[in-house]
Amino acid sequence: MYAKVIVDITHEKLDKIFEYSIPGELEGMLKVGTEVLVPFGRGNREMRGYVVGFSDVPEYAPEQIKEILKCEEDKRAIESKLVALAAWMKETYGGTMIQALKTVLPIKTIKKTIKKKRIRLLLTKEEGKERMDFYLNKNQKARARVLAGLLEQPEQEYGLLTKKLNISPSVINALKEQGVLEITEEQAFRNPVKYQKKEEKEVLFTPEQKNAADTFKRDYDSGQFGTYLLYGVTGSGKTEVYMEMIQHVVKKGRQAIVLIPEIALTYQTVLRFYGKFGERVSILNSRLSGGERSDQIERVKNGEVDVMIGPRSALFTPFKDLGLIVIDEEHEAAYKSEQVPRYHARETAIMRGKLENASVVLGSATPSLEAYYRCEKGEYTRLTLARRAARQALPSVYVTDMREELKRGNRSILSDRLKGLMNDRLKMGQQIMLFLNRRGYAGFVSCRSCGYVVKCPHCDVSLSSHKNGMLVCHYCGYEIRAVKKCPSCGSSYMGGFKAGTEAIEELIKREFPDAGVLRMDMDTTRTKEGHERILSAFADGEADILIGTQMIVKGHDFPNVTLVGILAADMSLYGDDYRSAERTFALLTQAAGRAGRGSIKGEVVIQTYNPEHYSIEKAAAQDYEGFYEKEMDYRRIMGYPPAAELLAVLVTGEDEKLLDTAVRYLKEFALRAGRNKDLQIIGPASPFVGKVNDIYRRVIYIKSKDYSALTVMKDHMEQYIEMNKGFQTLKIQFDFNPMNIF
Ligand code: ADP
Ligand code: ZN
Ligand code: ZN
């Protein structure tokens, strides 16, 4: 047996895995992730490495292969657990070990940490002035200058102050001896959280919150580290429950990771954690510079951090003794990586939890079908918060049928009902959010008169219109000529929904000239702080109406918002993938949940061409269970996750002919390799965007009841691809249970 070893965990060196032989006395003792000492380079320097895999057949001549010197037994090295996690990710999601390691291991940047000295005045203003007179009387001008400077600004950088005032160190030292000032050394590592710790108001838990937290604590204390789904309606106080759980874990000397979708990672959210855990909270997000990020990792390694908050990648924070991983808004598509390995944070967190004896808490008002399904099967423990925390009622929801509006001659994008309610709110000085559902795909074609949508007869997803005048299914490749007249009612109102946020903003300003309007979309949030600025302006009442895309759905509490209007609720319904109904239900429910967070009950208007669709009906009724039942029926009948497992094999290349030939071969290979197995192989089809930057794309879908049948198939395909020259110029990626279509 031979072991594959990475020798140094820096990003630069990760591009090579070395092969070592395993001496007899170590046989059976090595696992993936085990730390070993190996001879390295010409001088056979002893170096530390990690086992990342094994092979029976060596790649090099056996006499050239060196032997592992020894293994470090049962070290609690954090790296070895992360290496083991990487190996699991490679196995579960495809890609190379190097790609997996690069995802998992913290960035190691070599850089000096700058320590800045600061000077701080220790006297009050009155004392300072008295002391100043004293110096002036004694003609101690340098000392007076320093004091005057500090009275203006009581805390200053050492270098700046001495330079600015032309002061020698002896003067500063003299003042220090006299107790006028102190010299502090700034924290070696920058903490991006720069808030004052404030006293958190104690909340009195509702019985549901208490029950959820107690169940977790009881299990935790008895050494049961499991996975929980905290299923709580919008505003039910999930965050408070997370914090209680985290505190329990932190009190026992362990650490916690909190994953939050980047978009919801606002000042307001971080402040709540900071209020409870103070300096021992850190954040990682894409707005931090590389230096700030590696500072946070250093702080973690130094044991200065108990709670790390961040988006998906924060999952790999190298805590020494991780006790809990929280995933807020667990249903969000952002938890699935779009780079190889295309891991899902939920499953990966659960695996990390297993490796480290940590618990995992998933939270959502609209759980992913996967999470709810696993609860039903008893794999996760469900903790339910059915009521809002401050006892506010859930909002009343009205569905307006835009087909009826059209019949009555209202061709505006606002229904009469929504317009009327908006006028009411503006009169009362309450705030309004208008949510434009842009999550959909411009490709689908529907009838504005009857709501009919053109779908694939085989896959039950909507067809997308292509430039060549065809309507195409992106799963199986089925296509028909585009229809001009509605096949259902004969009207000629066939088309897509095109208005963007900007057009809507103009329209709203025309309809309501006296109202203050803010718009939040990709354009207005391009700058670093754009997102935060708009949200806080709206929170401060600087505008009456906030118009936005799904960005406005989460992250902030606006107690003065009493009306939410959802425009084009159907948009996301006709994305041509199997998750569109789920996504629609979640978006509508979350958007509706923004209304009535304060003391006044909220109202919601959902505008749709398709009021009968179950995802709209159930969202309006705020009935998750009802939605779940319907949607699971669909997934079971069609064989989509979580009822079955789905593997997408995405192949891309510049030469379309070659690509088509290769993909055909690949499919034939898959059919052969999968013979007599319980597999269904579909495609190849052109994905939604068939060509990007002159790179052509094709997808093969493979369905099975059994995940491991798919990983075996992936391994076979990887070998086949490696052995065949025809694939050399093509790129092949695997995506298990994809969140989006390609
Ligand atoms: P969620 O994360 O479920 O949407 P939050 O944790 O943000 O809910 O809570 C919603 C609001 O209710 C917050 O303003 C929070 O401070 C408040 N809250 C939470 N728990 C309680 C409680 N037990 N009593 C009173 N207010 C609470
Ligand atoms: Zn029609
Ligand atoms: Zn189809």
Side-chain angles (χ1 to χ4, degrees):
M1 276 285 259
Y2 298 86
K4 296 179 190 296
V5 173
I6 47 162
V7 170
D8 191 8
I9 302 187
T10 63
H11 263 198
E12 291 74 29
K13 297 259 176 64
L14 269 184
D15 51 7
K16 191 129 176 58
I17 292 175
F18 297 90
E19 212 168 30
Y20 285 89
S21 61
I22 303 172
E25 72 269 18
L26 291 187
E27 231 160 74
M29 288 174 63
L30 302 181
K31 290 187 308 204
V32 168
T34 305
E35 194 179 325
V36 290
L37 280 180
V38 293
F40 190 74
R42 289 228 176 130
N44 283 335
R45 222 156 18 110
E46 266 188 31
M47 284 193 58
R48 197 185 293 274
Y50 296 93
V51 177
V52 298
F54 298 97
S55 65
D56 294 324
V57 198
E59 275 177 46
Y60 302 92
E63 61 274 14
Q64 286 179 12
I65 297 179
K66 299 174 191 173
E67 212 171 58
I68 291 176
L69 299 172
K70 64 175 190 185
C71 76
E72 307 279 313
E73 264 173 282
D74 194 19
K75 272 200 76 175
R76 288 176 61 91
I78 180 65
E79 276 83 3
S80 67
K81 287 180 210 151
L82 290 176
V83 168
L85 186 63
W88 175 86
M89 287 167 76
K90 172 198 156 21
E91 177 57 30
T92 310
Y93 301 110
T96 65
M97 189 63 195
I98 300 284
Q99 284 168 321
L101 286 167
K102 283 190 174 170
T103 308
V104 160
L105 293 174
I107 335 126
K108 212 183 240 177
T109 47
I110 303 128
K111 86 187 165 49
K112 290 186 300 222
T113 52
I114 327 132
K115 287 198 183 173
K116 278 205 180 119
K117 279 205 281 189
R118 297 175 73 82
I119 295 176
R120 207 162 69 86
L121 181 64
L122 293 175
L123 306 179
T124 64
K125 273 228 146 64
E126 282 70 43
E127 290 169 341
K129 281 188 187 130
E130 245 172 61
R131 183 54 70 104
M132 175 99 103
D133 290 339
F134 173 79
Y135 291 146
L136 287 174
N137 278 337
K138 295 188 108 185
N139 206 18
Q140 294 176 326
K141 285 191 187 139
R143 292 181 190 192
R145 274 211 307 285
V146 174
L147 192 51
L150 285 173
L151 279 168
E152 217 166 85
Q153 196 183 331
E155 196 174 325
Q156 300 201 32
E157 250 174 58
Y158 189 99
L160 276 181
L161 185 83
T162 50
K163 218 181 284 161
K164 197 167 64 188
L165 302 177
N166 192 18
I167 301 292
S168 72
S170 62
V171 175
I172 303 285
N173 282 337
L175 289 176
K176 185 180 154 194
E177 309 265 280
Q178 294 176 355
V180 173
L181 55 80
E182 67 172 357
I183 301 170
T184 57
E185 219 148 81
E186 207 185 328
Q187 231 180 327
F189 300 106
R190 290 161 280 186
N191 181 349
V193 187
K194 293 194 187 78
Y195 313 119
Q196 292 289 313
K197 186 174 159 104
K198 53 163 194 166
E199 281 314 307
E200 261 307 88
K201 58 175 191 321
E202 276 292 310
V203 299
L204 196 62
F205 269 180
T206 64
E208 287 180 328
Q209 283 175 314
K210 186 168 181 332
N211 178 55
D214 286 350
T215 306
F216 171 87
K217 290 190 217 169
R218 208 166 44 234
D219 290 354
Y220 192 90
D221 290 346
S222 65
Q224 267 182 288
F225 304 110
T227 303
Y228 302 82
L229 173 64
L230 182 61
Y231 161 49
V233 298
T234 54
S236 57
K238 294 184 286 294
T239 310
E240 298 295 335
V241 177
Y242 302 147
M243 291 199 291
E244 179 75 16
M245 292 168 168
I246 292 167
Q247 191 159 53
H248 189 72
V249 168
V250 167
K251 269 192 189 146
K252 300 189 180 245
R254 303 181 80 193
Q255 300 90 39
I257 294 169
V258 183
L259 301 187
I260 294 181
E262 176 105 39
I263 213 164
L265 191 51
T266 58
Y267 180 83
Q268 217 185 32
T269 316
V270 176
L271 197 56
R272 287 174 72 181
F273 282 89
Y274 200 72
K276 188 135 189 156
F277 302 101
E279 285 281 336
R280 301 194 62 84
V281 174
S282 179
I283 54 171
L284 285 174
N285 64 34
S286 61
R287 275 168 283 176
L288 299 185
S289 67
E292 283 174 318
R293 292 180 72 84
S294 61
D295 279 357
Q296 296 326 300
I297 301 299
E298 281 310 312
R299 291 182 63 217
V300 165
K301 289 189 168 167
N302 294 344
E304 294 169 31
V305 178
D306 291 328
V307 185
M308 179 62 87
I309 307 175
R312 189 180 65 226
S313 59
L315 176 55
F316 306 111
T317 304
F319 279 127
K320 287 202 178 68
D321 193 7
L322 182 66
L324 171 61
I325 303 169
V326 172
I327 306 185
D328 191 29
E329 309 289 359
E330 155 286 325
H331 60 280
E332 278 288 309
Y335 286 124
K336 179 82 186 275
S337 172
E338 288 176 353
Q339 273 148 26
V340 180
R342 292 173 181 257
Y343 68 94
H344 198 296
R346 185 196 314 118
E347 299 154 359
T348 310
I350 291 170
M351 190 60 204
R352 184 163 183 201
K354 281 200 183 116
L355 290 169
E356 313 222 14
N357 275 336
S359 292
V360 176
V361 174
L362 313 167
S364 178
T366 53
S368 64
L369 251 67
E370 275 79 0
Y372 207 79
Y373 180 69
R374 307 249 135 82
C375 286
E376 301 281 275
K377 293 212 306 185
E379 290 174 32
Y380 304 169
T381 306
R382 181 167 56 225
L383 307 169
T384 306
L385 309 178
R387 262 174 279 274
R388 283 187 158 179
R391 302 221 156 66
Q392 311 98 316
L394 283 165
S396 309
V397 184
Y398 312 107
V399 176
T400 61
D401 185 342
M402 294 307 279
R403 297 170 304 185
E404 294 296 325
E405 302 282 323
L406 189 71
K407 267 187 209 148
R408 282 209 311 269
N410 176 15
R411 309 184 111 216
S412 144
I413 48 180
L414 296 182
S415 62
D416 291 341
R417 171 158 237 161
L418 180 54
K419 209 186 295 175
L421 286 173
M422 285 176 73
N423 272 318
D424 280 358
R425 296 311 139 110
L426 291 173
K427 263 185 223 134
M428 291 188 282
Q430 294 165 11
Q431 287 179 302
I432 301 161
M433 283 170 98
L434 289 184
F435 167 60
L436 175 63
N437 185 1
R438 302 238 357 134
R439 232 352 181 327
Y441 301 89
F444 81 89
V445 172
S446 70
C447 170
R448 282 205 288 144
S449 185
C450 79
Y452 177 85
V453 172
V454 191
K455 286 189 169 182
C456 172
H458 309 296
C459 306
D460 200 29
V461 296
S462 60
L463 299 180
S464 301
S465 71
H466 276 210
K467 281 212 187 75
N468 62 6
M470 302 300 280
L471 294 176
V472 182
C473 170
H474 291 132
Y475 279 121
C476 71
Y478 171 86
E479 57 177 36
I480 52 166
R481 193 162 296 286
V483 286
K484 296 245 157 49
K485 269 195 172 12
C486 173
S488 175
C489 75
S491 93
S492 50
Y493 289 109
M494 292 297 287
F497 185 93
K498 293 205 178 65
T501 37
E502 224 175 320
I504 289 172
E505 183 186 17
E506 266 168 40
L507 181 127
I508 296 296
K509 281 182 171 161
R510 241 179 296 135
E511 290 270 356
F512 307 97
D514 298 330
V517 180
L518 278 170
R519 169 166 66 95
M520 190 155 128
D521 56 19
M522 290 301 251
D523 284 339
T524 57
T525 54
R526 201 162 286 153
T527 59
K528 239 183 168 188
E529 268 80 38
H531 183 241
E532 195 69 62
R533 210 188 50 238
I534 295 170
L535 290 177
S536 39
F538 189 59
D540 292 344
E542 286 173 33
D544 307 297
I545 304 173
L546 175 63
I547 302 168
T549 53
Q550 53 270 15
M551 277 180 197
I552 66 175
V553 172
K554 42 191 67 96
H556 250 251
D557 238 5
F558 302 108
N560 198 32
V561 170
T562 56
L563 175 64
V564 169
I566 301 172
L567 312 178
D570 314 349
M571 271 296 262
S572 53
L573 210 46
Y574 307 119
D576 58 356
D577 70 309
Y578 67 92
R579 289 184 197 265
S580 9
E582 179 179 0
R583 196 157 40 229
T584 303
F585 177 82
L587 276 170
L588 299 187
T589 309
Q590 301 275 356
R594 310 308 304 170
R597 294 271 195 142
S599 49
I600 308 166
K601 184 172 161 145
E603 286 177 304
V604 180
V605 177
I606 298 179
Q607 300 193 164
T608 174
Y609 291 97
N610 211 332
E612 306 85 18
H613 193 285
Y614 62 92
S615 69
I616 291 175
E617 238 175 29
K618 302 294 180 191
Q622 297 169 72
D623 174 13
Y624 177 85
E625 283 87 356
F627 170 76
Y628 173 82
E629 294 301 328
K630 286 258 185 204
E631 182 65 10
M632 272 314 288
D633 286 345
Y634 162 70
R635 305 279 176 101
R636 270 191 208 102
I637 290 164
M638 300 305 297
Y640 289 130
E645 312 286 349
L646 178 66
L647 168 61
V649 186
L650 176 67
V651 190
T652 53
E654 284 174 29
D655 181 341
E656 192 174 18
K657 263 217 179 100
L658 177 80
L659 177 65
D660 277 328
T661 312
V663 170
R664 231 181 16 250
Y665 274 109
L666 192 60
K667 178 171 180 183
E668 276 163 25
F669 171 79
L671 286 170
R672 279 199 308 280
R675 207 173 25 222
N676 303 330
K677 300 214 177 81
D678 182 23
L679 290 175
Q680 210 186 329
I681 298 164
I682 306 155
S686 305
F688 181 66
V689 184
K691 187 169 104 171
V692 183
N693 294 331
D694 287 325
I695 309 278
Y696 294 89
R697 302 142 66 89
R698 298 289 182 269
V699 200
I700 297 172
Y701 289 97
I702 307 175
K703 288 179 188 172
S704 172
K705 283 256 170 277
D706 177 16
Y707 195 96
S708 65
L710 294 182
T711 54
V712 168
M713 177 58 93
K714 170 211 68 183
D715 293 342
H716 285 320
M717 284 174 121
E718 276 178 343
Q719 282 164 15
Y720 176 75
I721 289 158
E722 214 178 288
M723 281 172 355
N724 278 279
K725 287 217 172 63
F727 289 100
Q728 259 167 15
T729 60
L730 304 175
K731 210 170 118 193
I732 292 123
Q733 292 185 28
F734 296 92
D735 194 342
F736 287 84
N737 295 336
M739 296 303 281
N740 301 297
I741 49 132
F742 295 105

